[in-house]
Amino acid sequence: MTKPTPEEAIHLRDLFEDIVGAAWFNRNAMTERELLILILERHRDSGGDIEKLKDGCVATARERFSRLR
């Protein structure tokens, strides 16, 4: 995995914070860790498309970590 640029790291941090701050997110240490792994893996495969990354991560996080099931 390549290291994100400083600008990409800011986008990744913001995406993480947006998702964990969502009302539907079942926040605990395990789901936060799994979300971070998800974001980093998706970032590697996104080709730098931040909107595609965000859409994919939010959709997957809703499926996996939603407390509103």
Side-chain angles (χ1 to χ4, degrees):
M1 174 191 283
T2 61
K3 184 176 178 180
T5 66
E7 184 178 312
E8 289 173 328
I10 291 169
H11 288 300
L12 297 176
R13 180 202 63 205
D14 291 346
L15 176 56
F16 178 84
E17 289 177 354
D18 287 348
I19 294 174
V20 298
W24 53 264
F25 188 77
N26 183 15
R27 189 170 190 177
N28 61 55
M30 184 61 82
T31 58
E32 288 181 19
R33 179 181 179 276
E34 292 299 314
L35 174 62
L36 181 57
I37 292 169
L38 170 71
I39 290 171
L40 292 173
E41 287 176 348
R42 291 281 176 102
H43 171 259
R44 180 188 61 215
D45 300 332
S46 72
D49 187 342
I50 298 299
E51 286 304 311
K52 179 180 174 183
L53 173 66
K54 181 178 180 179
D55 292 345
C57 287
V58 169
T60 302
R62 276 187 174 274
E63 290 174 16
R64 291 178 58 191
F65 310 122
S66 180
R67 69 170 108 189
L68 306 175
R69 291 183 198 193

